[in-house]
Amino acid sequence: MNFEKLDPFCKQKIEEFKEENKDFLENSVVKSFLMEEKNQKLLVEVICDPTEENQKLLDNEL
Protein backbone atom coordinates (compact mmCIF):
# COMPACT_ATOMS: atom_id res chain seq x y z
CA MET A 1 0.00 0.00 0.00
CA ASN A 2 1.22 3.48 -0.80
CA PHE A 3 1.33 5.36 2.50
CA GLU A 4 2.78 8.49 0.93
CA LYS A 5 -0.63 9.71 -0.18
CA LEU A 6 -1.89 9.76 3.40
CA ASP A 7 -2.03 12.92 5.43
CA PRO A 8 0.76 13.49 8.01
CA PHE A 9 -1.53 12.84 10.98
CA CYS A 10 -2.51 9.46 9.60
CA LYS A 11 1.10 8.55 8.82
CA GLN A 12 2.04 9.39 12.40
CA LYS A 13 -0.80 7.24 13.77
CA ILE A 14 0.34 4.31 11.61
CA GLU A 15 3.93 4.65 12.82
CA GLU A 16 2.74 4.72 16.43
CA PHE A 17 0.60 1.64 15.85
CA LYS A 18 3.50 -0.22 14.26
CA GLU A 19 5.81 0.69 17.14
CA GLU A 20 3.28 -0.29 19.81
CA ASN A 21 2.27 -3.55 18.09
CA LYS A 22 5.54 -5.01 16.80
CA ASP A 23 4.90 -8.52 18.13
CA PHE A 24 1.35 -8.58 16.82
CA LEU A 25 2.49 -7.47 13.36
CA GLU A 26 5.17 -10.16 13.30
CA ASN A 27 2.62 -12.92 13.84
CA SER A 28 2.48 -15.18 10.78
CA VAL A 29 -1.32 -15.11 10.60
CA VAL A 30 -1.39 -11.33 10.80
CA LYS A 31 1.36 -11.05 8.19
CA SER A 32 -0.59 -13.31 5.87
CA PHE A 33 -3.77 -11.30 6.41
CA LEU A 34 -1.97 -8.04 5.68
CA MET A 35 -0.44 -9.36 2.46
CA GLU A 36 -3.72 -8.43 0.80
CA GLU A 37 -3.86 -4.74 0.00
CA LYS A 38 -7.58 -4.65 0.75
CA ASN A 39 -6.87 -5.71 4.33
CA GLN A 40 -4.03 -3.21 4.67
CA LYS A 41 -6.41 -0.45 3.64
CA LEU A 42 -8.98 -1.59 6.17
CA LEU A 43 -6.39 -1.57 8.95
CA VAL A 44 -5.22 1.91 7.95
CA GLU A 45 -8.82 3.11 8.03
CA VAL A 46 -9.25 1.77 11.56
CA ILE A 47 -5.99 3.35 12.71
CA CYS A 48 -6.62 6.75 11.11
CA ASP A 49 -10.38 6.91 11.51
CA PRO A 50 -11.34 4.56 14.36
CA THR A 51 -15.08 4.47 13.86
CA GLU A 52 -17.27 1.55 14.79
CA GLU A 53 -18.14 1.08 11.12
CA ASN A 54 -14.48 0.86 10.09
CA GLN A 55 -13.82 -1.62 12.87
CA LYS A 56 -16.71 -3.79 11.71
CA LEU A 57 -15.45 -3.75 8.13
CA LEU A 58 -12.05 -4.95 9.29
CA ASP A 59 -13.52 -7.54 11.65
CA ASN A 60 -15.64 -8.97 8.84
CA GLU A 61 -12.50 -9.77 6.87
CA LEU A 62 -10.95 -11.79 9.69
Side-chain angles (χ1 to χ4, degrees):
M1 180 176 177
N2 186 356
F3 294 113
E4 289 159 19
K5 294 181 180 181
L6 300 173
D7 68 69
F9 175 76
C10 187
K11 286 185 202 178
Q12 178 63 34
K13 299 275 290 181
I14 292 168
E15 289 304 314
E16 289 172 5
F17 179 85
K18 286 168 44 176
E19 184 66 31
E20 294 169 2
N21 297 281
K22 283 182 182 180
D23 291 339
F24 171 75
L25 293 171
E26 287 299 316
N27 179 288
S28 61
V29 174
V30 174
K31 280 180 151 181
S32 177
F33 177 77
L34 292 175
M35 298 238 353
E36 293 187 43
E37 188 167 349
K38 166 180 85 165
N39 296 336
Q40 289 177 30
K41 288 178 181 180
L42 289 170
L43 179 60
V44 166
E45 284 296 315
V46 169
I47 293 169
C48 296
D49 186 20
T51 65
E52 190 173 322
E53 178 64 24
N54 285 340
Q55 184 65 53
K56 283 182 183 178
L57 291 170
L58 178 63
D59 289 347
N60 287 339
E61 293 300 319
L62 296 174

